[in-house]
Amino acid sequence: PEPSQNGKLFSEHELTVLYSLCETILPKTDTPSAVEVGCHEFVPHQLQHCHSKQQQDDCVHIIKAVDMYANKEFGKTFPLLQPKQQQQLLINIESDGVSTDSEKGQFSFLKALIVFGYFTSEVGAAQALNYQAVPGGFTGSIPAN
């Protein structure tokens, strides 16, 4: 695929689909959602600066494919589906339901990138993972006797 408007990787509609994918893959629970920590902005940045052209093309393709499957199965674009429909469609893409083996791999890569973005964010590491730099806490200036 050719780069979208202004040299960006995704078109506005593809960014909307990505936004909905992030919200569906890691929704808000007792911790913020992937959208709330900015994964929908992290993914395009990470792809453009750290990944190959083939990986970029694969992500563009799977985002378009998810939207195509949504239209085919439900008659609506992916962002307009109900949350349960979005979840079911993604489950079908991961299983033997609707997608090719290549698309399963592309979706797995995109999902891993979203999860990576989430858990390397401050919120993801501190709240969801409850990361402690020093287990048990840090006590400084202890005598060495």
Side-chain angles (χ1 to χ4, degrees):
E2 290 299 311
S4 301
Q5 312 152 1
N6 303 324
K8 294 183 179 178
L9 186 60
F10 299 113
S11 69
E12 288 301 316
H13 179 70
E14 292 162 354
L15 287 172
T16 303
V17 174
L18 177 61
Y19 182 97
S20 296
L21 281 168
C22 289
E23 189 66 34
T24 303
I25 292 168
L26 287 168
K28 181 178 178 73
T29 57
D30 55 340
T31 58
S33 71
V35 168
E36 290 175 299
V37 301
C39 289
H40 60 291
E41 295 167 341
F42 169 83
V43 169
H45 183 269
Q46 186 77 3
L47 281 169
Q48 287 183 306
H49 292 86
C50 301
H51 293 279
S52 70
K53 177 77 169 111
Q54 181 61 52
Q55 290 169 317
Q56 294 173 14
D57 292 347
D58 287 349
C59 286
V60 171
H61 176 273
I62 196 58
I63 286 172
K64 287 179 179 180
V66 165
D67 205 38
M68 179 198 67
Y69 289 133
N71 273 310
K72 186 176 176 182
E73 191 167 328
F74 298 105
K76 295 180 185 177
T77 185
F78 185 78
L80 297 178
L81 297 179
Q82 295 297 316
K84 288 195 184 275
Q85 292 173 319
Q86 290 175 331
Q87 292 168 3
Q88 188 57 52
L89 181 66
L90 298 184
I91 289 168
N92 291 347
I93 288 171
E94 286 186 309
S95 68
D96 293 330
V98 295
S99 60
T100 65
D101 286 341
S102 175
E103 289 171 337
K104 286 181 186 122
Q106 293 167 350
F107 181 69
S108 179
F109 175 75
L110 179 61
K111 187 167 80 168
L113 195 55
I114 292 167
V115 170
F116 174 72
Y118 184 81
F119 287 109
T120 55
S121 71
E122 182 179 349
V123 170
Q127 292 181 25
L129 293 176
N130 192 19
Y131 175 75
Q132 296 178 12
V134 179
F138 175 76
T139 307
S141 301
I142 297 175
N145 298 9

